[in-house]
Amino acid sequence: MVETPKVKIQANNFNVFFGKNQVVKSLNMEVYSNEILGIIGPANSGKTTFLKTLNRLNDLDDDFRMEGSILLDGRDINSQFDVIDLRKKVSIIFAMPLPLPISIFDNVAYGPKMHGIKKGLDEIVERSLKAAYIWEEVKDRLHESALNLSGGQQQRLCIARSLAIEPEVVLFDEPCSGLDPISTAKVEEAMMELKKKYTIILVTNNVKQAARVSDRVAFFLMGELIELDSTEKMFTNPSNKKTIDYISGRFG
Amino acid sequence: MNSRVSQKIAFTVLFLSALVTILPVLLIIVVIVKNGISAISWEFLTAAPTNGMRSGGIFPAIVGTFYLALGATAISLPLGVMGGIYLSEYSKDNMFTRILKLGIVNLAGVPSIVYGLFGLSLFVIYLKFGVSLISGCLTLAIMELPSIITATQAALHSVPRSFREVSLSLGATKWQTIRHSVLPHALPGIITGAVLSNARITGETAPILFTVAAFYLPHLPSSVLDQVMALPYHLYVISTQIPGISKSTTYGTALVLIVFTLSLNLFGIILRTYLRRQKKW
């Protein structure tokens, strides 16, 4: 018997506009607790826009406008959450590794410090770096600049920094697009481990990556959700012709 | 005309243009140093003027200019930086703020005598501060503000947008983001801008003419409501109002003024080079 998964995030008739352009069109979908949901699709398909809406980073853009609703644990992220509290629960890893130009330690401690945590920072930093599989590589040089790390290390540092605020959902926005295969493997390994504790949404241009790490995969095209199903079904027997075309590399 | 000849002509014309631009500056410095160096002595730098300013030193004017530069910056730096932060980080991009920003840029081009008259009417007369150190500092501060605001905005603008996104995405508030992730990285640019604009106003005569400068005041100010002597005005006075003054005294005063502002400039440039090296991205 299959256990009914717990819904973590729910999008209801969700639309996004930038100025006059509609970039996400009447999206209805659910993300389950402790799964890795992969989102694939060609450029301009609305994947990243959807992702950035989930912790309201799109609010920074004056042209941004949305309709419909997104619920996190059943609460509307716009009307029933303070934006700061929302971002503590939903953290994001950007496409490029973006360490702040401060020490490794200060990068990881940044979030907790901003939330007023002064005690136990050492433990938080160590725990977060371990969870992102980078502790062994940096434990002897925590007070060196984060910019001295390699690209792959920087990205795992950014993961550690996100985990330090103890989020519930971690968003990955093409986290491996600038990384070599070995670094990519390490980031993926970290992700697989993370889903035990967190809900993960992974936007990726790399279809194979989605196949490797996701539990379920959503295919976006031109702002619409074309298909959403288990990874196995999506890659062996998708029901939509467009999905077949994209996955087999016929467009996009 | 073949390409080699045109290349030579272009080089010559460009070289001469560069030479012509730099020549007057060099000449000014050479003439001032040549005529003024003989006046420079310990007494000249540390004593008050005597004998109707024909002999003695220029100490009160040096101190006055120092106070004015310090006071003006102490007022305009915090104000300008805060204004710059507001305009760059908080204000919405609409007609009003665009006009405001345009106005600030244009204020930097207002003739200094206009600032002087403004200071006279607002601080000296209307606010009854009288001709005093405080009126002079405020007038110079207002003159310095536009360039500090502009430097602040430019420095904030040069901080990558991604720093802000990262900070906000970690649940920091907007103010925390500015305070911890933007301002520290903009500080080199802001400080350099402030030092350089300070060097510029230090040499100004018009803004202090009616607001603070004393014709002859051999003692140092004891409160902010006192008048002070100042180098640029003192130079103006001794070159136009004092008959029979020795040439070396006039040029010596000019030399001190130039060294004063050039060292401020130099300090700004060294500071900028140093802080840029600290910059890690």
Side-chain angles (χ1 to χ4, degrees):
Chain A
M1 201 183 109
V2 181
E3 207 183 323
T4 328
K6 187 170 163 279
V7 174
K8 187 73 183 169
I9 294 170
Q10 188 173 13
N12 296 318
N13 197 19
F14 171 68
N15 295 279
V16 172
F17 305 84
F18 279 108
K20 282 175 186 158
N21 291 335
Q22 184 165 9
V23 287
V24 176
K25 294 167 191 161
S26 30
L27 180 67
N28 287 289
M29 64 184 276
E30 289 169 346
V31 184
Y32 303 141
S33 279
N34 300 87
E35 74 166 342
I36 298 184
L37 175 74
I39 301 181
I40 58 171
N44 298 318
S45 55
K47 319 181 289 275
T48 298
T49 302
F50 170 63
L51 202 67
K52 283 191 167 180
T53 307
L54 297 179
N55 68 352
R56 289 178 56 186
L57 273 186
N58 282 327
D59 291 9
L60 305 182
D61 198 316
D62 288 340
D63 288 337
F64 172 78
R65 188 164 59 83
M66 65 164 275
E67 286 171 3
S69 66
I70 289 183
L71 309 180
L72 173 70
D73 293 327
R75 289 162 68 200
D76 189 300
I77 62 162
N78 284 301
S79 58
Q80 292 175 297
F81 268 102
D82 172 64
V83 66
I84 304 295
D85 292 334
L86 177 71
R87 287 179 186 152
K88 283 184 201 170
K89 287 186 179 223
V90 184
S91 70
I92 187 166
I93 316 294
F94 296 96
M96 296 303 293
L98 292 174
L100 296 168
I102 49 182
S103 75
I104 294 169
F105 184 94
D106 287 338
N107 260 284
V108 182
Y110 187 88
K113 272 185 191 166
M114 294 301 116
H115 305 154
I117 296 171
K118 291 191 185 82
K119 284 182 189 153
L121 284 173
D122 289 336
E123 292 89 75
I124 292 174
V125 168
E126 180 174 343
R127 191 176 63 226
S128 308
L129 287 168
K130 278 180 174 161
Y133 286 88
I134 189 177
W135 171 250
E136 288 303 321
E137 291 160 66
V138 300
K139 64 179 178 187
D140 298 325
R141 45 175 178 152
L142 291 176
H143 296 283
E144 278 180 32
S145 168
L147 301 183
N148 295 338
L149 299 174
S150 74
Q153 288 173 328
Q154 287 185 359
Q155 194 60 304
R156 277 177 288 144
L157 172 68
C158 292
I159 295 175
R161 186 174 61 190
S162 288
L163 300 182
I165 61 174
E166 296 177 13
E168 293 169 12
V169 180
V170 184
L171 311 172
F172 286 86
D173 182 13
E174 301 172 33
C176 300
S177 56
L179 303 185
D180 65 272
I182 294 169
S183 303
T184 301
K186 285 186 173 165
V187 171
E188 287 177 6
E189 192 189 343
M191 262 189 257
M192 300 293 284
E193 201 55 38
L194 293 178
K195 75 167 184 175
K196 291 175 189 161
K197 271 184 81 181
Y198 309 95
T199 302
I200 293 176
I201 305 179
L202 166 69
V203 160
T204 179
N205 279 325
N206 183 338
V207 174
K208 288 194 182 115
Q209 180 175 55
R212 280 197 297 269
V213 301
S214 313
D215 298 300
R216 294 191 305 151
V217 172
F219 173 51
F220 278 38
L221 183 64
M222 307 290 284
E224 282 177 85
L225 175 64
I226 304 296
E227 194 169 352
L228 168 58
D229 217 320
S230 72
T231 305
E232 197 190 342
K233 173 115 189 332
M234 285 289 275
F235 284 96
T236 52
N237 186 24
S239 42
N240 194 299
K241 172 90 170 50
K242 291 173 185 163
T243 313
I244 302 173
D245 286 349
Y246 182 72
I247 288 175
S248 59
R250 246 166 273 171
F251 72 90
Chain B
M1 186 162 59
N2 72 31
S3 59
R4 203 165 296 176
V5 176
S6 69
Q7 144 94 355
K8 272 211 169 105
I9 292 174
F11 173 78
T12 314
V13 169
L14 295 175
F15 178 75
L16 285 177
S17 311
L19 200 65
V20 166
T21 8
I22 198 133
L23 213 57
V25 182
L26 287 177
L27 271 178
I28 290 173
I29 292 176
V30 167
V31 169
I32 289 178
V33 171
K34 188 167 163 280
N35 291 311
I37 196 81
S38 63
I40 306 294
S41 67
W42 186 247
E43 194 208 354
F44 188 70
L45 295 175
T46 57
T50 50
N51 189 21
M53 295 199 268
R54 286 179 188 84
S55 53
I58 54 168
F59 186 60
I62 296 178
V63 172
T65 289
F66 181 74
Y67 282 165
L68 283 171
L70 207 67
T73 302
I75 296 163
S76 62
L77 189 62
L79 262 183
V81 170
M82 289 190 281
I85 292 175
Y86 176 78
L87 285 175
S88 159
E89 303 289 322
Y90 283 95
S91 69
K92 292 244 184 305
D93 185 29
N94 55 32
M95 196 60 155
F96 176 70
T97 54
R98 254 175 275 163
I99 290 173
L100 204 62
K101 286 178 186 176
L102 194 69
I104 289 167
V105 172
N106 279 310
L107 267 182
V110 170
S112 54
I113 185 68
V114 177
Y115 284 103
L117 290 169
F118 174 77
L120 172 71
S121 56
L122 180 63
F123 303 124
V124 177
I125 298 170
Y126 185 76
L127 293 175
K128 299 195 175 67
F129 291 157
V131 177
S132 62
L133 195 53
I134 185 74
S135 297
C137 287
L138 285 165
T139 309
L140 288 175
I142 288 178
M143 201 176 151
E144 201 175 348
L145 265 179
S147 47
I148 289 184
I149 293 176
T150 313
T152 303
Q153 282 181 286
L156 291 171
H157 200 72
S158 73
V159 177
R161 183 188 152 99
S162 60
F163 290 11
R164 299 173 173 83
E165 282 196 2
V166 164
S167 175
L168 290 170
S169 79
L170 292 168
T173 62
K174 186 158 186 171
W175 170 241
Q176 285 177 324
T177 298
I178 292 171
R179 167 76 186 71
H180 297 283
S181 276
V182 180
L183 210 49
H185 308 300
L187 220 49
I190 295 173
I191 291 172
T192 315
V195 172
L196 294 180
S197 64
N198 190 259
R200 197 173 60 85
I201 60 142
T202 304
E204 287 287 351
T205 314
I208 56 173
L209 194 57
F210 318 118
T211 53
V212 53
F215 184 85
Y216 174 67
L217 192 72
H219 58 84
L220 299 182
S222 56
S223 92
V224 291
L225 293 173
D226 282 358
Q227 281 187 265
V228 293
M229 293 182 79
L231 281 173
Y233 181 65
H234 181 64
L235 180 60
Y236 166 74
V237 165
I238 58 175
S239 357
T240 57
Q241 319 283 313
I242 313 287
I245 190 164
S246 77
K247 199 168 147 194
S248 68
T249 309
T250 329
Y251 277 99
T253 308
L255 182 59
V256 172
L257 178 59
I258 275 202
V259 169
F260 198 104
T261 56
L262 283 187
S263 4
L264 268 181
N265 266 317
L266 198 66
F267 174 64
I269 290 164
I270 291 170
L271 198 66
R272 180 174 57 194
T273 320
Y274 171 74
L275 292 170
R276 270 198 192 149
R277 280 215 199 107
Q278 305 289 97
K279 197 157 137 177
K280 298 186 201 96
W281 75 93

